[in-house]
Amino acid sequence: MKILLLSDIHGNFPALEAIAQQHPLDQFDLICNSGDSTVYCPYPDEVLSWLRKYHVQSIRGNTDDKVIKLLKGKTFKKPRKPEKRIMYTSTVEALSPSNRQYLCTLKKKYTCKHGVHRLCLFHGSPEDHEEFLFQTTPDKRFRELAAVTSCTIVVTGHSHSPYHKHIEGVHFINPGSAGRMFDGNPQACYAVLQLQHRSVQVTHFRCTYDIEAVAERITSLHLPSIYKEMFRTGKKLN
């Protein structure tokens, strides 16, 4: 069983295309996405169409939650800064009716079983949709999470921090951010998971993509220029 793991695409369609070119999708038995598919990079409609086209098993993340609130006529308090809020409102405006409907159907958890392996997708953690788990998070916290989950493989996103830890019989995996890395490397990040009997193998990859096309799109849509520098530098500047 070969699985492509994605998370935190954040509307970055050029990055998705580059990942699919580096690792052709017909290599995989399954594609999983741990949420935050929208907001910050201005291709949200293309991203959601891609997820639907390739039957990606997707959950929603915290940025998706806010977009869904707007789609339902509600609002949110945070983020308060206008340069952040416009990235949410512009996302809503960009979505087709079918992709609006699709986004609203996404759940906060996905579970599947493959042989002896029980794989679960969360955005933050098994206990908290918005918990940040990093490579540097103490093992004690992972042991606590292992004790409360029935999964043998836990795939999360949210922190944009790629890692693979095997603790108390549970494989904790974050594929990193496919669309918006924060570690100073602007390349897209993702992982490939291979399952054989009781064997679990995880390999992380980085991938170049057309960042200047993203910058030009931000300019053409009159969105805040700070986001161009974020994608160019691979840093969270806001």
Side-chain angles (χ1 to χ4, degrees), residues 42 82-83 86-87 89-90 93 214-228:
E83 68 269 21
I86 194 174
M87 304 309 281
T89 56
S90 63
E93 292 167 1
V214 172
E216 289 172 11
R217 179 91 166 226
I218 290 170
T219 298
S220 69
L221 294 175
H222 306 290
L223 295 171
S225 61
I226 189 172
Y227 291 99
K228 292 187 287 187

mmCIF file of all heavy atoms in Angstrom, residues 42 82-83 86-87 89-90 93 214-228:
data_model
loop_
_atom_site.group_PDB
_atom_site.id
_atom_site.type_symbol
_atom_site.label_atom_id
_atom_site.label_comp_id
_atom_site.label_asym_id
_atom_site.label_seq_id
_atom_site.Cartn_x
_atom_site.Cartn_y
_atom_site.Cartn_z
ATOM 1 N N PRO A 42 -3.679 32.204 -3.542
ATOM 2 C CA PRO A 42 -4.963 32.518 -4.199
ATOM 3 C C PRO A 42 -5.404 31.560 -5.303
ATOM 4 O O PRO A 42 -5.826 31.982 -6.376
ATOM 5 C CB PRO A 42 -4.701 33.924 -4.747
ATOM 6 C CG PRO A 42 -3.246 33.937 -5.046
ATOM 7 C CD PRO A 42 -2.602 33.090 -3.990
ATOM 8 N N PRO A 82 -6.749 43.331 8.975
ATOM 9 C CA PRO A 82 -7.381 43.363 7.647
ATOM 10 C C PRO A 82 -6.614 42.570 6.594
ATOM 11 O O PRO A 82 -7.234 41.926 5.733
ATOM 12 C CB PRO A 82 -7.396 44.861 7.308
ATOM 13 C CG PRO A 82 -7.391 45.549 8.630
ATOM 14 C CD PRO A 82 -6.552 44.691 9.526
ATOM 15 N N GLU A 83 -5.259 42.579 6.656
ATOM 16 C CA GLU A 83 -4.483 41.870 5.638
ATOM 17 C C GLU A 83 -4.602 40.354 5.758
ATOM 18 O O GLU A 83 -4.280 39.620 4.826
ATOM 19 C CB GLU A 83 -3.002 42.274 5.673
ATOM 20 C CG GLU A 83 -2.227 41.840 6.901
ATOM 21 C CD GLU A 83 -2.233 42.877 8.013
ATOM 22 O OE1 GLU A 83 -3.134 43.748 8.025
ATOM 23 O OE2 GLU A 83 -1.328 42.827 8.853
ATOM 24 N N ILE A 86 -8.785 39.553 4.633
ATOM 25 C CA ILE A 86 -9.082 39.613 3.203
ATOM 26 C C ILE A 86 -8.714 38.313 2.497
ATOM 27 O O ILE A 86 -9.302 37.956 1.476
ATOM 28 C CB ILE A 86 -8.359 40.812 2.533
ATOM 29 C CG1 ILE A 86 -8.965 41.059 1.144
ATOM 30 C CG2 ILE A 86 -6.859 40.583 2.454
ATOM 31 C CD1 ILE A 86 -8.430 42.291 0.460
ATOM 32 N N MET A 87 -7.769 37.568 3.080
ATOM 33 C CA MET A 87 -7.401 36.291 2.469
ATOM 34 C C MET A 87 -8.536 35.266 2.630
ATOM 35 O O MET A 87 -8.676 34.357 1.806
ATOM 36 C CB MET A 87 -6.101 35.763 3.065
ATOM 37 C CG MET A 87 -4.936 36.742 2.952
ATOM 38 S SD MET A 87 -4.656 37.395 1.283
ATOM 39 C CE MET A 87 -3.790 36.041 0.499
ATOM 40 N N THR A 89 -11.948 36.276 2.948
ATOM 41 C CA THR A 89 -13.070 36.753 2.140
ATOM 42 C C THR A 89 -12.802 36.555 0.651
ATOM 43 O O THR A 89 -13.714 36.199 -0.110
ATOM 44 C CB THR A 89 -13.378 38.230 2.437
ATOM 45 O OG1 THR A 89 -12.188 39.021 2.229
ATOM 46 C CG2 THR A 89 -13.849 38.407 3.870
ATOM 47 N N SER A 90 -11.559 36.749 0.224
ATOM 48 C CA SER A 90 -11.230 36.538 -1.190
ATOM 49 C C SER A 90 -11.321 35.061 -1.551
ATOM 50 O O SER A 90 -11.666 34.710 -2.690
ATOM 51 C CB SER A 90 -9.833 37.080 -1.507
ATOM 52 O OG SER A 90 -8.837 36.389 -0.778
ATOM 53 N N GLU A 93 -14.984 34.305 -2.208
ATOM 54 C CA GLU A 93 -15.393 34.871 -3.494
ATOM 55 C C GLU A 93 -14.904 34.025 -4.670
ATOM 56 O O GLU A 93 -15.544 33.981 -5.724
ATOM 57 C CB GLU A 93 -14.860 36.297 -3.629
ATOM 58 C CG GLU A 93 -15.517 37.278 -2.668
ATOM 59 C CD GLU A 93 -14.776 38.606 -2.569
ATOM 60 O OE1 GLU A 93 -13.748 38.752 -3.271
ATOM 61 O OE2 GLU A 93 -15.208 39.475 -1.793
ATOM 62 N N VAL A 214 2.774 32.481 -8.325
ATOM 63 C CA VAL A 214 1.951 32.796 -7.148
ATOM 64 C C VAL A 214 2.026 34.293 -6.857
ATOM 65 O O VAL A 214 1.005 34.949 -6.606
ATOM 66 C CB VAL A 214 2.421 31.982 -5.928
ATOM 67 C CG1 VAL A 214 1.711 32.451 -4.659
ATOM 68 C CG2 VAL A 214 2.173 30.497 -6.154
ATOM 69 N N ALA A 215 3.232 34.857 -6.879
ATOM 70 C CA ALA A 215 3.413 36.284 -6.603
ATOM 71 C C ALA A 215 2.651 37.141 -7.609
ATOM 72 O O ALA A 215 2.012 38.141 -7.240
ATOM 73 C CB ALA A 215 4.906 36.633 -6.623
ATOM 74 N N GLU A 216 2.694 36.748 -8.869
ATOM 75 C CA GLU A 216 1.983 37.508 -9.904
ATOM 76 C C GLU A 216 0.471 37.437 -9.690
ATOM 77 O O GLU A 216 -0.240 38.428 -9.890
ATOM 78 C CB GLU A 216 2.349 36.966 -11.280
ATOM 79 C CG GLU A 216 3.788 37.292 -11.688
ATOM 80 C CD GLU A 216 4.202 36.587 -12.963
ATOM 81 O OE1 GLU A 216 3.315 36.006 -13.641
ATOM 82 O OE2 GLU A 216 5.412 36.606 -13.272
ATOM 83 N N ARG A 217 -0.010 36.296 -9.268
ATOM 84 C CA ARG A 217 -1.455 36.144 -9.017
ATOM 85 C C ARG A 217 -1.878 37.023 -7.843
ATOM 86 O O ARG A 217 -2.942 37.653 -7.873
ATOM 87 C CB ARG A 217 -1.765 34.672 -8.729
ATOM 88 C CG ARG A 217 -3.226 34.371 -8.434
ATOM 89 C CD ARG A 217 -3.974 34.012 -9.697
ATOM 90 N NE ARG A 217 -5.268 33.403 -9.380
ATOM 91 C CZ ARG A 217 -5.740 32.307 -9.944
ATOM 92 N NH1 ARG A 217 -5.031 31.673 -10.858
ATOM 93 N NH2 ARG A 217 -6.929 31.842 -9.636
ATOM 94 N N ILE A 218 -1.063 37.064 -6.793
ATOM 95 C CA ILE A 218 -1.357 37.921 -5.644
ATOM 96 C C ILE A 218 -1.431 39.376 -6.080
ATOM 97 O O ILE A 218 -2.334 40.126 -5.679
ATOM 98 C CB ILE A 218 -0.300 37.720 -4.541
ATOM 99 C CG1 ILE A 218 -0.471 36.335 -3.897
ATOM 100 C CG2 ILE A 218 -0.382 38.822 -3.482
ATOM 101 C CD1 ILE A 218 0.648 35.937 -2.969
ATOM 102 N N THR A 219 -0.500 39.790 -6.931
ATOM 103 C CA THR A 219 -0.496 41.162 -7.448
ATOM 104 C C THR A 219 -1.739 41.439 -8.282
ATOM 105 O O THR A 219 -2.401 42.477 -8.113
ATOM 106 C CB THR A 219 0.764 41.406 -8.298
ATOM 107 O OG1 THR A 219 1.925 41.254 -7.479
ATOM 108 C CG2 THR A 219 0.765 42.818 -8.888
ATOM 109 N N SER A 220 -2.071 40.527 -9.180
ATOM 110 C CA SER A 220 -3.208 40.750 -10.082
ATOM 111 C C SER A 220 -4.537 40.831 -9.343
ATOM 112 O O SER A 220 -5.463 41.505 -9.796
ATOM 113 C CB SER A 220 -3.266 39.649 -11.144
ATOM 114 O OG SER A 220 -3.616 38.401 -10.567
ATOM 115 N N LEU A 221 -4.620 40.165 -8.191
ATOM 116 C CA LEU A 221 -5.846 40.183 -7.401
ATOM 117 C C LEU A 221 -5.838 41.288 -6.340
ATOM 118 O O LEU A 221 -6.771 41.390 -5.542
ATOM 119 C CB LEU A 221 -6.060 38.822 -6.726
ATOM 120 C CG LEU A 221 -6.328 37.642 -7.669
ATOM 121 C CD1 LEU A 221 -6.394 36.333 -6.891
ATOM 122 C CD2 LEU A 221 -7.605 37.862 -8.468
ATOM 123 N N HIS A 222 -4.767 42.086 -6.325
ATOM 124 C CA HIS A 222 -4.628 43.214 -5.385
ATOM 125 C C HIS A 222 -4.693 42.752 -3.928
ATOM 126 O O HIS A 222 -5.274 43.423 -3.065
ATOM 127 C CB HIS A 222 -5.713 44.272 -5.650
ATOM 128 C CG HIS A 222 -5.750 44.745 -7.078
ATOM 129 N ND1 HIS A 222 -4.761 45.532 -7.624
ATOM 130 C CD2 HIS A 222 -6.647 44.503 -8.065
ATOM 131 C CE1 HIS A 222 -5.049 45.775 -8.908
ATOM 132 N NE2 HIS A 222 -6.192 45.164 -9.190
ATOM 133 N N LEU A 223 -4.076 41.602 -3.670
ATOM 134 C CA LEU A 223 -3.995 41.082 -2.307
ATOM 135 C C LEU A 223 -2.727 41.610 -1.635
ATOM 136 O O LEU A 223 -1.805 42.080 -2.314
ATOM 137 C CB LEU A 223 -4.009 39.548 -2.334
ATOM 138 C CG LEU A 223 -5.310 38.932 -2.858
ATOM 139 C CD1 LEU A 223 -5.157 37.432 -3.064
ATOM 140 C CD2 LEU A 223 -6.470 39.243 -1.917
ATOM 141 N N PRO A 224 -2.642 41.582 -0.304
ATOM 142 C CA PRO A 224 -1.497 42.176 0.407
ATOM 143 C C PRO A 224 -0.155 41.605 -0.068
ATOM 144 O O PRO A 224 0.019 40.375 -0.157
ATOM 145 C CB PRO A 224 -1.770 41.813 1.873
ATOM 146 C CG PRO A 224 -3.255 41.685 1.948
ATOM 147 C CD PRO A 224 -3.664 41.080 0.647
ATOM 148 N N SER A 225 0.776 42.487 -0.353
ATOM 149 C CA SER A 225 2.058 42.074 -0.921
ATOM 150 C C SER A 225 2.921 41.275 0.047
ATOM 151 O O SER A 225 3.845 40.574 -0.375
ATOM 152 C CB SER A 225 2.840 43.304 -1.397
ATOM 153 O OG SER A 225 3.104 44.179 -0.313
ATOM 154 N N ILE A 226 2.620 41.364 1.359
ATOM 155 C CA ILE A 226 3.410 40.605 2.332
ATOM 156 C C ILE A 226 3.366 39.111 2.031
ATOM 157 O O ILE A 226 4.334 38.380 2.299
ATOM 158 C CB ILE A 226 2.932 40.888 3.774
ATOM 159 C CG1 ILE A 226 3.923 40.270 4.779
ATOM 160 C CG2 ILE A 226 1.514 40.376 4.010
ATOM 161 C CD1 ILE A 226 3.659 40.650 6.210
ATOM 162 N N TYR A 227 2.274 38.643 1.424
ATOM 163 C CA TYR A 227 2.162 37.216 1.136
ATOM 164 C C TYR A 227 3.122 36.783 0.031
ATOM 165 O O TYR A 227 3.577 35.630 0.008
ATOM 166 C CB TYR A 227 0.715 36.846 0.819
ATOM 167 C CG TYR A 227 -0.143 36.969 2.047
ATOM 168 C CD1 TYR A 227 -0.936 38.087 2.267
ATOM 169 C CD2 TYR A 227 -0.105 35.993 3.040
ATOM 170 C CE1 TYR A 227 -1.679 38.230 3.420
ATOM 171 C CE2 TYR A 227 -0.846 36.122 4.202
ATOM 172 C CZ TYR A 227 -1.627 37.249 4.386
ATOM 173 O OH TYR A 227 -2.348 37.393 5.554
ATOM 174 N N LYS A 228 3.463 37.692 -0.864
ATOM 175 C CA LYS A 228 4.464 37.352 -1.881
ATOM 176 C C LYS A 228 5.787 37.020 -1.216
ATOM 177 O O LYS A 228 6.466 36.059 -1.605
ATOM 178 C CB LYS A 228 4.629 38.517 -2.862
ATOM 179 C CG LYS A 228 3.421 38.759 -3.744
ATOM 180 C CD LYS A 228 3.687 39.797 -4.811
ATOM 181 C CE LYS A 228 3.749 41.194 -4.262
ATOM 182 N NZ LYS A 228 3.833 42.206 -5.326
#
